[in-house]
Structure formats: structure tokens, C-alpha cells
Amino acid sequence: MNIRFRVNAHTVWGQEVYVSGGAKELGQWDVDKAVKMYCVDIDIWELKLKITTGKSLDYKYLIKDELGKVLKEFGVSRTQDLMAASDIEIIDTWRYADSPENNLYSSPFYKSFFKREKVKKTIKKPTKIKAGSSMIRFQIRAPRVGKNYSVGVLGSEEFFGNWNPQKVVILDGANYPFWSVEIEAKSLPEQLEYKYVIVDTETNNIVAWDQNNNRVLRADEVLSEKGLVIRSDEYFAHPDDGWKAAGTAIPVFSIRTEDGAGVGEFPDIKKMIDWSVKTGMKVLQILPVNDTVASHTWVDSYPYAAISVHALHPMYASMKVMGELKDKKLQTEMDKEAKRLNDLPEVDYEAVMKLKSRFFKYSFDQNKLNFLNSNELSVFIEQNKSWIIAYAVFSFLRDKHGTPDFSLWGDQAQMTDEELLAFAASDQPHYDDIAVHYYIQYHLDKQLKDATEYARQNGVVLKGDIPIGIFRHSVDAWRWSHLFHMENQAGAPPDDFSVTGQNWGFPTYNWEAMAAENFSWWRSRMIKMAEYFDVFRIDHILGFFRIWEMPPEAVEGIMGRFNPALPLHVSELEANGIHFDYGRMCKPFLPAEIVHDIFGHNAEYVFQNFLNEKHPGMMVLKERFDTERKIKNYLDEQVQNYPDKTEFYEQLRHQLYRLPAEVIFLEAPDSDGCYNPRIGMHSTYSYQWLSEDQKQKLDRLYNHYFYHRHNDFWRDSAMQKLPMLKDATDMLICGEDLGMVPACVPGVMNELQILSLAVQRMPNDDRGFWHPSDIPYSYVTTTGSHDVSNLREWWLEDREATQRFYNDILGFFGEAPEQCESWVTLPIIRQHLYSPAMLAIFPIQDILAMSDELKRENCLEERINVPAIIPHYWKYRLHISVEKLLAAETFNNNLAAMVDECGRFTDY
């Protein structure tokens, strides 16, 4: 058959457009064999060729520049039904990667928001396709069409209704999000003008017109007899600013139900979905739900230290859904303990896990014969074989050795794949102790998937959370240690969360090793996430550009560096007028005077125990205390041996940590004569004691290093990783891009259509607060997160900031109230709902703060996490049950009305 491709694609000098496809003549998807098109007009490219193919054609457009760089258009390949025509004209428009509409092709939209169970009968049937006839197919990609709506078309000719809304032609939506209709080509005028509309299929009324100019098809674009013209249109422009939705954020462990067991469970999500439906919320955001059981203590409550990036946390399994125990006395005993735990104001993590661990053992013993021989187990293991066996063995060995630190497991510190499978074989005496973890994970998977599907069926989606790091003593580190730099630690530079930075203790990624394996570990992780979530948040997305990395001797984040980075060579320092003195700038600068200044009345104790005098008036740390780690180990030992002096040693701790950090440059690892400026060096005495001339020169270098030097470098770093993450699934991605944000970040996120995060009190510039009306569309706007105080607590923290917010953001005159009253919270939430941001997601605490009847009495009990405190006990629970929330009809109706009023309850 003869095909003429015609596409409107904007190019610049040196770029050319190509067609790649499945047909042999199109290179069979080999980019190097794609066929070049020819520019026939401004931004109009054409290609004529003969193709031997079947009834359909798969293809995609590419742009190549003179350096061989390939730019692909957005989305999946194009597919056209060719109707066995001999001559075909395909008229397309390039699909731009940065179009805001692109996010509407992600899974939340076709699996939930606009999910179409079945296509309703069209009001006007399209002309039937006859083999060999001359036809024109009009089609448009339009994802934002609710299940009770369809796309129609009106135009300047009789067959398109002569612009009469009563004669709108309904397009076939069987291939949603593609809508199409065919007409006979012989009836086409010299120039046809037409416009797409959205129609309510119940009333046949037009509810929205495409805001683009009239589309035009000229007669000279139609092929001769027995031809087929396919006019593919793109980008239905809606009358408003774009589809928007509202959502709620609550950790699963915080959900309270009346029949719970002291902690939220996966089936409880369904009740939160019911509440979301009542209030018009489309997204339910949760924290990570992966297994964090390492020490069997409350420290495991930290949800960002998973022992497996695939396995789910056992505490989220509902014992009631798993089934009752046959031992009625034992079941009664457990029910009693579950009720006791459920009545507590907070999560008692250790008690919950103790109860559920007992239940899992008895339940497994009761059901293991049927379970271990079931087809369900075989299917589950086969579907999850890349991680489930390793996870189960790891969990068994963790408990056998009494530690997750696999370096202490002797001969089992490492295992080959063959050894792992042999160890987990069903004829091993310890098989039951391994298989119980299959049993628990099977039920967790089943319960979470049930909640996921329930959400989708009700027009709501779950938003998950991807931690940036992995736990050092995890199954992932045990089995795939080559993918990580186990010798280093990941964290964050100083920011609003912590003035000394954060040290999460996680190993950093070996991106080179991951790339060599085509990022298979990440892809597996994403694919597993997509089984449960349609939206996900990348925790600390800045880590994909560069991670804050600390050596093993560091405790606080202040002694870190960015990796990758471009360190400064000594010659570069000297070229900038800086006289480089290694001993003065890279070793702790400790005059006796500053020791007195830091430690006050404890200075003499520090002189005697931690310092030596290098020469009169100048001190050095004793070798046994010359790193933060050495200081920490010593103080931990002292606290253990002398608990009555704990307060004294803790007071010294952070003061002593300052001493190794009294440097201006950090020596770059694996380099010869290269150095990185120590972040926050301006706060050091070492900097303050320099001459003004040296300070000014260092300031210029510091500013360039941290804010300009790496922009292109870090952009390239992110573009080697984030496209893989996005391509692994079709989930909608949101990035937590708070903190010290490189200038290249917004451009990368916009290009990849990753939503940014705007926490109102943490703007990404020097303004005091985000005003919600200023937040762009490709953002998630929020009043707070799990890492910051809730609105009512924040209101009490800084009276000056509160007053500015009250006057400048809310627009109220006079003095701000002492408390963040419900009448204050209401306009705060409303402002965010009116924001242009695509998603407005609020912590449940801030939503309930709008109601005097529903909010918690003491707002200081609602904090989820304090990042500066490590370890922190994550134990917050909702103070009222979801059942009571569901029964709060007046509040729910008012909230739903406000969501609708602000344009976040749209169905088309």
C-alpha cells in the first residue's frame, strides 16, 4: 500500500524528523533505521513510501539532530487501522513531551478517574467502513472525559451538523482515550472547519467546547479514489485551567477504626476511601508501607528504613480478614488485647507487633498444610520470585542470629543464588520458619490489592511513597550489595528540618552498577509499586540529581558532600586568589579561645579529656576523638556506664561534634589535590578568623560552587536515571523537591512531567510563604507534610511569622488570633483548593482543624515526625475513628461542596 505521513512538528536548525515503526520499511523499531521525512513547509514534514503490512500500522515520530541525539515524541506508539485501503494519508501532530495534558495518560486517569466500564451507544452511528471505499477518519486523543460523557464534533458541513448543537456527531470511544468517526471523502468541501466538544450522553447536551481555534481540513489533503485519510488531532483545550483534584494524606498506621487492633490496617483504607468519596477527595496519600522489622523494637516504626523495598509491613495485615483461630480461648485472648491496644491514643508499636506475630504463627500453623500445597502459593511465589525467597530467608536469618546485620551471620553473611534456593527448599528442617513469611506476605498483598481496587472502582486512587534510600541491614543490601556504596552514608545538607543536616545512615547508590544492569532493581521496585498505587511520591527527588554523602566517620550531616560533584583543584583555588593552606583549611581550627566560647564552664573538662595543645594557644583533637564517630562511640559508652550523668554527656555531644567540623574544605575522595567547600563554612570559627579579603574570595567561590558550577552536570546526572523511573510504569509521579534545590531541577521535572511539591511555609525562593494562587499547575500544593508541624501547632511556634501569614497571605487586617481557630483554617484550605496546582493534598490533621467538633483538643499531639530527632517514634494515630468521620454529615457535605466550588470535583 502507498502511505503518505504528514506531521506538524516544530524543529530548529540541525534537526530532522523521522518515522520509526514495526513495519520492515520503517526499521522494525530500530532507531538507527528510522526513515527520514522531508520538510515541505514551516514545521510540516512529509514522507511517501510503500509499506507491506497488515490491517494495522504501529509507528512513532522521532527528531534527530546533527550530533545524533534522538528526541522521541511523548507516549506510546501510534496504532492505525488501515481498513485494507491501497492509498493512505496520515495527518498527525507531534506529541510534545512537556504538554500539561500528558499526565492525563497516566494510570490514575484510565484506571480510576475516567475509567470507562463500557462504551455507551452512540447517538448518531458513523458511516460503516466498506472495503475499498474512499473514507476520512477524524480522531482525537482526549483522556479527560468522564464515564458519563463522550466526545462529539461539529463543523461547517451537513455531515458535521452545520454547527447546530442539536446535530452534534458523537465519536466512537471504544478505543479510549482515542475517539473517532468516519465519513465519505467525496462529500468533503474545499475547506472544512470543525471543532470538538464534550457531550453529556444522558442529555445529549454539550457541556464543553474545545477552546482551540477551529480545526481545518483542506480538500487537497484528501487522496484519490479508494483512499483513506486519517486526520489525528491532539490536545482538546478545556475551558478551565486543567483537571484538578483534592486529596488527603494520612499514614496507614494512623488510621483508627472501631474494630481495629491498635494500628491502621490495609482493609481500613477502604473506609478512608468511603470518606474520600463523601468529601470529593480523589487521592489518598500514605507513607511507605514496606517491612521495616529489623530490631523488633519501636525503632522499627521508622517507615523509611525498609528491610525490603518489595515486602509489605506485617503490622498492616488485618487478623480478622485473615480468619479466626480455631482455638477459641486463644482467639478471645487476642481479641481482648487487640481491643486494649485499639483504645490507646497512640500506636504501641512493640505491643502491636508482639500480638500480630503471635497470631501469624498460630494462623500459619493452623492453615499451613492447605497453604503450602495450594496453587495460590505457587502463583504468588512465581509472580514475586525476584525478591520473595530472599526476603523470607533474610527474615528467618535475622531472627535466628538476633540481628539484621548480615555481616555477623558467619557463613550466611553471603549466599549465591544456588545456595539461597537450597537453603529455602521445602525439605529443609527450617522450611516452616521461612514459609511463614510467604504466608504473611501473601495475605498482605491480597489485602492491599483489595483496597487498591476498591479505591479505583470508587474513583479514588492511592498515592504511595518511594524512600530515597535503603536500610543498611536490609535484604536488598544483603543480596545486591554491588548496587550500593556500603561504605558511605546518605542524608541531606542543612535545611529547615535540621541546621546540622541529616544523616539517614543509608548506603548510597552505585548508579554505574545499576546502569550496567539496565536499572533492573529499580524497574522491579516500580512495577511492584504499580500493583498497589497509581500515584507515587519520590522522597527527596534531589537525590537523583546528586545525593548528600557522608563518610563512615561522620555522624551529623554537616560533614558531607554532594555526589556526584566537581571538586575544586588547588590550582583553581589559587587562580581565584585563595592561598591554600591544607593544615589551616582542612584540619580543625581550634584556638583555645573558641573552645572556651563553645563549652563555657565545661571548657576545662574538654581541654583535659579531648584535646592536646599543638602549640601555645592552639589545640588539636586527641586521635581517639578526631572524628564525630569516635566521639559518639565514646559518649554512648559513657552514657551506658554512667546513666546518672546522661544529661551532662548529651549536653557535650553536639558541642563536641562541632570540633571536627571546624574546617573550610573537605578533601575529595579518590582525587589528587581536589577539595569540596564545607557546607555552611560561614558559621565556623575557622572562616570567621580569616581576613576580610580571604572571606570575600571564599564567598564568591562558595556561591559559584553550590549554586552554579554543577547545574548542567547534575541535569545530566538526573536525566540518566529519572526517565528510567518514569518509563518503568505509567503511574503519575510527584517529586519531593524541598531543601537546597539546584537550578536545573525545575526544568528536568517539567520536561519529564513530574509534579513538584509546594509546602506553603517552605517556598523555593526568598519569599516567606507560597501564596496558593502563585503555585503553577504542575505542582502538588499542601499545608504541610509528615515532617513538619500541623497548622495549629505551627501557628504557635513563631508569632511574627504567624502575623505575617495572617495579614499577607490570608488578607486579614489586625492582630492574628493566638490559636489557629477553625475560622482561620477554613480560608487556608480554600485558598489551596482554588490554587492552579493540579493536586491539593492536605494532612488529615489540617482538614479536621476546620471543625471545632472533629479536631483534636491538643494540637501538640498531632506531630508525626521530627526529622532532627533520630531515632523518632512514629506513633501518631487519628483521635477519632473513621466511622465517626463518615457519620459527620454536615462537615462532610460542606467539605465536598467546597471542593466542588473550587473546581476540584470535575468529571470532564
Side-chain angles (χ1 to χ4, degrees):
M1 60 183 66
N2 300 310
I3 295 184
R4 182 172 69 163
F5 294 94
R6 182 181 177 93
V7 63
N8 185 322
H10 176 68
T11 56
V12 297
W13 183 261
Q15 291 181 329
E16 294 178 315
V17 182
Y18 290 72
V19 184
S20 178
K24 180 180 179 181
E25 294 84 354
L26 295 177
Q28 295 178 316
W29 295 116
D30 184 338
V31 172
D32 293 332
K33 296 180 180 179
V35 184
K36 186 172 71 172
M37 303 182 74
Y38 297 91
C39 187
V40 298
D41 202 345
I42 298 176
D43 291 341
I44 302 298
W45 296 77
E46 284 190 359
L47 172 66
K48 298 178 182 179
L49 76 167
K50 288 182 176 292
I51 289 183
T52 304
T53 185
K55 294 183 178 180
S56 64
L57 176 68
D58 296 327
Y59 65 100
K60 197 168 190 175
Y61 295 106
L62 315 170
I63 291 177
K64 295 182 182 182
D65 65 17
E66 52 195 357
L67 299 177
K69 183 179 179 180
V70 176
L71 175 66
K72 298 180 180 179
E73 64 175 342
F74 167 80
V76 299
S77 62
R78 300 170 184 258
T79 299
Q80 300 289 4
D81 177 8
L82 303 182
M83 298 169 50
S86 58
D87 293 291
I88 299 170
E89 168 95 11
I90 299 178
I91 307 171
D92 288 319
T93 298
W94 175 270
R95 295 171 179 171
Y96 291 93
D98 60 353
S99 168
E101 182 185 68
N102 291 348
N103 277 325
L104 302 185
Y105 296 96
S106 56
S107 67
F109 296 93
Y110 72 83
K111 287 185 178 179
S112 180
F113 302 148
F114 300 136
K115 183 177 181 180
R116 307 178 75 81
E117 300 297 337
K118 59 181 180 179
V119 179
K120 294 193 175 186
K121 293 181 179 180
T122 57
I123 298 173
K124 179 177 179 180
K125 294 181 180 180
T127 305
K128 290 185 178 181
I129 304 172
K130 298 178 181 179
S133 64
S134 183
M135 303 289 292
I136 301 179
R137 177 185 304 140
F138 291 86
Q139 62 184 34
I140 184 171
R141 266 193 334 158
R144 187 181 160 186
V145 183
K147 61 184 179 181
N148 295 320
Y149 300 86
S150 289
V151 175
V153 63
L154 285 170
S156 57
E157 295 300 313
E158 181 63 32
F159 54 78
F160 275 169
N162 278 327
W163 298 113
N164 184 347
Q166 302 303 314
K167 297 182 179 181
V168 59
V169 176
I170 304 299
L171 276 60
D172 183 358
N175 295 318
Y176 171 86
F178 293 93
W179 305 80
S180 64
V181 67
E182 283 109 6
I183 65 167
E184 293 185 13
K186 63 183 180 182
S187 59
L188 188 68
E190 182 175 329
Q191 178 168 294
L192 168 66
E193 294 190 33
Y194 62 101
K195 188 179 285 287
Y196 293 105
V197 295
I198 294 178
V199 178
D200 183 327
T201 53
E202 296 293 333
T203 64
N204 201 32
N205 291 330
I206 296 173
V207 295
W209 290 73
D210 180 10
Q211 298 300 294
N212 288 306
N213 293 331
N214 290 349
R215 301 174 192 257
V216 176
L217 179 66
R218 300 189 311 273
D220 58 12
E221 293 178 307
V222 177
L223 294 173
S224 60
E225 188 178 345
K226 296 185 179 180
L228 169 66
V229 175
I230 302 174
R231 175 61 181 263
S232 293
D233 290 313
E234 304 281 341
Y235 311 118
F236 185 104
H238 288 259
D240 56 26
D241 295 329
W243 183 92
K244 300 190 296 185
T248 308
I250 181 172
V252 175
F253 61 76
S254 299
I255 302 174
R256 182 187 292 273
T257 59
E258 293 176 358
D259 58 351
V263 68
E265 299 167 340
F266 287 148
D268 298 335
I269 292 174
K270 296 166 74 172
K271 293 181 180 179
M272 283 300 301
I273 298 302
D274 291 338
W275 181 77
S276 297
V277 172
K278 276 180 172 284
T279 55
M281 299 291 180
K282 296 287 190 180
V283 181
L284 184 65
Q285 176 175 319
I286 63 178
L287 293 181
V289 290
N290 295 104
D291 188 356
T292 60
V293 178
S295 65
H296 294 287
T297 67
W298 67 264
V299 175
D300 298 340
S301 68
Y302 178 41
Y304 289 89
I307 64 166
S308 168
V309 299
H310 295 89
L312 300 170
H313 200 301
M315 73 174 173
Y316 295 124
S318 166
M319 299 181 290
K320 290 185 177 181
V321 173
M322 289 176 70
E324 290 192 351
L325 302 176
K326 293 179 181 178
D327 186 330
K328 299 301 181 184
K329 181 179 179 182
L330 182 60
Q331 182 66 56
T332 300
E333 175 189 334
M334 290 193 168
D335 289 343
K336 183 178 179 181
E337 174 64 359
K339 186 179 186 311
R340 183 189 75 81
L341 293 172
N342 206 45
D343 290 339
L344 296 177
E346 297 176 318
V347 177
D348 186 335
Y349 180 89
E350 292 182 16
V352 167
M353 287 303 298
K354 182 179 179 181
L355 170 65
K356 294 203 171 187
S357 295
R358 284 187 70 204
F359 175 84
F360 295 147
K361 181 184 183 305
Y362 287 117
S363 179
F364 175 72
D365 289 343
Q366 174 179 297
N367 299 297
K368 70 179 180 181
L369 289 179
N370 289 333
F371 177 74
L372 295 179
N373 294 299
S374 67
N375 183 59
E376 288 82 357
L377 174 61
S378 298
V379 171
F380 180 68
I381 291 180
E382 178 61 27
Q383 291 175 341
N384 298 278
K385 61 184 178 182
S386 66
W387 65 270
I388 187 67
I389 298 173
Y391 161 77
V393 170
F394 178 91
S395 299
F396 166 70
L397 292 174
R398 170 201 61 201
D399 296 341
K400 175 188 174 184
H401 293 285
T403 176
D405 186 351
F406 47 85
S407 67
L408 304 176
W409 290 356
D411 293 342
Q412 294 157 341
Q414 291 182 329
M415 281 189 184
T416 65
D417 292 344
E418 293 74 16
E419 290 170 338
L420 179 75
L421 293 175
F423 189 86
S426 58
D427 58 357
Q428 292 282 4
H430 51 252
Y431 179 68
D432 282 4
D433 293 325
I434 290 175
V436 67
H437 298 289
Y438 301 153
Y439 182 71
I440 298 168
Q441 289 298 314
Y442 168 80
H443 283 284
L444 285 163
D445 178 79
K446 186 176 181 180
Q447 291 181 16
L448 182 51
K449 282 180 177 174
D450 180 55
T452 299
E453 188 55 33
Y454 185 81
R456 289 169 177 164
Q457 291 296 333
N458 283 277
V460 180
V461 296
L462 300 185
K463 180 182 178 184
D465 197 331
I466 293 281
I468 185 59
I470 67 154
F471 187 48
R472 183 170 298 278
H473 305 308
S474 64
V475 61
D476 300 278
W478 177 53
R479 292 294 298 148
W480 304 287
S481 60
H482 68 288
L483 298 178
F484 311 97
H485 292 301
M486 298 298 295
E487 71 279 9
N488 291 322
Q489 309 172 90
D495 56 19
D496 291 344
F497 294 132
S498 175
V499 295
T500 57
Q502 299 176 56
N503 184 347
W504 305 320
F506 305 146
T508 54
Y509 294 120
N510 184 342
W511 288 109
E512 292 76 13
M514 289 182 163
E517 298 181 2
N518 196 27
F519 300 103
S520 59
W521 181 83
W522 272 105
R523 293 179 189 277
S524 171
R525 187 179 183 183
M526 294 298 100
I527 290 169
K528 188 62 183 175
M529 279 278 292
E531 294 181 14
Y532 310 123
F533 305 104
D534 292 306
V535 188
F536 75 93
R537 165 189 178 269
I538 303 177
D539 170 50
H540 192 65
I541 196 173
L542 304 182
F544 287 87
F545 293 78
R546 78 291 184 273
I547 196 68
W548 189 248
E549 184 176 75
M550 289 142 287
E553 60 267 22
V555 174
E556 296 184 321
I558 200 74
M559 293 293 281
R561 68 180 183 98
F562 286 122
N563 185 12
L566 301 170
L568 301 160
H569 192 267
V570 171
S571 60
E572 191 174 355
L573 297 176
E574 293 178 346
N576 280 273
I578 297 169
H579 173 64
F580 181 74
D581 181 337
Y582 180 85
R584 172 65 178 84
M585 294 182 167
C586 298
K587 293 294 183 181
F589 178 70
L590 302 175
E593 181 179 335
I594 75 167
V595 177
H596 283 288
D597 197 29
I598 294 173
F599 294 95
H601 65 276
N602 290 326
E604 289 305 319
Y605 176 85
V606 174
F607 280 125
Q608 293 175 17
N609 292 276
F610 296 92
L611 299 170
N612 289 326
E613 190 170 39
K614 184 178 180 181
H615 50 76
M618 185 61 66
M619 315 304 294
V620 293
L621 285 160
K622 293 181 178 180
E623 185 177 354
R624 62 180 298 212
F625 301 121
D626 61 2
T627 69
E628 288 180 327
R629 184 68 58 188
K630 291 178 181 179
I631 294 171
K632 178 184 186 303
N633 292 342
Y634 172 78
L635 292 178
D636 288 349
E637 182 180 333
Q638 295 302 103
V639 168
Q640 185 175 357
N641 293 336
Y642 307 102
D644 57 317
K645 295 185 177 181
T646 296
E647 185 176 350
F648 169 71
Y649 289 120
E650 291 303 326
Q651 179 184 351
L652 279 181
R653 185 182 297 273
H654 295 291
Q655 294 172 331
L656 285 169
Y657 287 164
R658 289 188 61 179
L659 301 186
E662 277 294 322
V663 297
I664 293 174
F665 288 103
L666 300 173
E667 194 165 3
D670 303 320
S671 67
D672 183 16
C674 290
Y675 302 87
N676 297 299
R678 202 218 83 171
I679 196 166
M681 68 178 184
H682 303 85
S683 65
T684 66
Y685 290 94
S686 182
Y687 170 85
Q688 292 164 15
W689 281 43
L690 292 171
S691 68
E692 288 302 317
D693 178 64
Q694 285 288 82
K695 286 181 184 178
Q696 290 176 11
K697 290 173 180 176
L698 278 172
D699 288 347
R700 288 194 295 269
L701 196 70
Y702 183 96
N703 182 66
H704 180 266
Y705 177 89
F706 281 108
Y707 300 102
H708 304 284
R709 182 181 182 91
H710 296 91
N711 281 336
D712 292 340
F713 183 63
W714 284 339
R715 172 188 162 78
D716 292 342
S717 173
M719 292 303 288
Q720 293 170 19
K721 307 158 192 171
L722 287 174
M724 164 277 303
L725 204 69
K726 186 172 179 64
D727 292 344
T729 70
D730 57 2
M731 291 185 284
L732 177 63
I733 306 178
C734 308
E736 185 264 293
D737 53 343
L738 305 178
M740 193 174 180
V741 182
C744 60
V745 171
V748 169
M749 294 182 68
N750 182 63
E751 182 176 339
L752 297 178
Q753 294 292 286
I754 297 174
L755 302 188
S756 293
L757 176 64
V759 177
Q760 185 162 28
R761 70 193 83 157
M762 298 176 65
N764 54 6
D765 52 26
D766 57 0
R767 65 183 122 183
F769 310 97
W770 275 107
H771 193 292
S773 63
D774 296 332
I775 298 173
Y777 180 69
S778 57
Y779 268 71
V780 180
T781 182
T782 184
T783 52
S785 75
H786 61 274
D787 281 328
V788 300
S789 51
N790 61 75
L791 268 176
R792 291 192 297 149
E793 181 182 358
W794 170 77
W795 198 267
L796 305 174
E797 293 172 354
D798 185 336
R799 182 64 185 171
E800 184 180 338
T802 297
Q803 187 65 52
R804 288 200 314 272
F805 183 87
Y806 183 76
N807 298 138
D808 298 345
I809 302 300
L810 294 182
F812 291 130
F813 295 102
E815 186 176 353
E818 293 294 327
Q819 307 282 335
C820 186
E821 308 288 356
S822 58
W823 62 267
V824 176
T825 309
L826 184 67
I828 294 175
I829 300 296
R830 180 180 280 111
Q831 280 187 346
H832 283 273
L833 288 173
Y834 268 121
S835 166
M838 183 181 195
L839 298 178
I841 300 179
F842 308 99
I844 187 71
Q845 303 97 310
D846 292 349
I847 291 178
L848 298 184
M850 293 189 292
S851 168
D852 291 332
E853 291 75 28
L854 297 178
K855 68 184 182 185
R856 200 181 200 117
E857 183 176 351
N858 185 358
C859 65
L860 302 182
E861 297 173 350
E862 293 189 311
R863 185 71 182 261
I864 295 175
N865 177 46
V866 181
I869 300 177
I870 299 175
H872 187 267
Y873 198 162
W874 298 59
K875 57 185 179 179
Y876 165 72
R877 289 186 79 196
L878 202 58
H879 60 289
I880 59 174
S881 68
V882 184
E883 289 87 350
K884 288 184 178 179
L885 271 183
L886 286 165
E889 292 293 340
T890 300
F891 176 80
N892 294 338
N893 291 339
N894 289 341
L895 179 55
M898 185 164 64
V899 170
D900 191 16
E901 167 200 332
C902 297
R904 293 188 180 271
F905 199 51
T906 53
D907 204 13
Y908 56 84

